[in-house]
Amino acid sequence: MLYRLLADAVVLVHGLFILFVIAGGLLALRWPRLAWLHLPAAAWGALVELRHWICPLTPLENHLRRAAGEAGYAGGFVEQYLIPLIYPAGLTPQVQVWLGIAVLLINALVYLAVLLRWRRR
């Protein structure tokens, strides 16, 4: 039971990290110092997608699931709602490249707004 809860927690953290990578720059509009955390996270997220790397959270989750005696993602809120968001069907290397490019473009636009706001002050 503990390993399953830990695996679910890893998926939750993974999902939150992905949200932070995608939209964390928007938080930097409000709290500019957050950019020091977000920029490395966004760079990592883009690299993982563009280079087709496996995020270290994925093997950790799989290890915890195996330790819990699970073989897959059957049942539960986390598996039902978060897993399909993190690992969507049809995720190909080409789609991953486009996702990485989208992360870079979204964040470039947000940080352009951050810089323009900073210069006005």
Side-chain angles (χ1 to χ4, degrees), residues 1-119:
M1 178 71 165
L2 175 63
Y3 287 115
R4 181 167 195 255
L5 289 174
L6 290 172
D8 289 349
V10 169
V11 172
L12 183 62
V13 168
H14 202 172
L16 292 172
F17 181 78
I18 290 168
L19 285 174
F20 184 64
V21 164
I22 293 168
L26 296 172
L27 296 173
L29 285 170
R30 175 71 174 104
W31 299 287
R33 289 186 181 176
L34 192 61
W36 292 106
L37 290 175
H38 179 254
L39 285 170
W44 172 257
L47 278 171
V48 166
E49 295 300 333
L50 293 171
R51 302 291 298 162
H52 311 293
W53 294 344
I54 296 174
C55 178
L57 293 174
T58 302
L60 174 60
E61 178 202 351
N62 288 330
H63 170 75
L64 291 169
R65 294 224 181 270
R66 282 191 300 275
E70 294 181 6
Y73 293 111
F77 174 84
V78 171
E79 294 84 26
Q80 182 68 30
Y81 298 104
L82 293 181
I83 298 292
L85 293 174
I86 296 171
Y87 308 109
L91 184 64
T92 65
Q94 184 178 12
V95 171
Q96 284 184 282
V97 168
W98 283 110
L99 289 171
I101 290 169
V103 164
L104 292 173
L105 289 175
I106 290 167
N107 284 292
L109 291 172
V110 168
Y111 279 102
L112 178 63
V114 169
L115 287 172
L116 291 174
R117 186 180 261 186
W118 180 74
R119 290 185 88 199

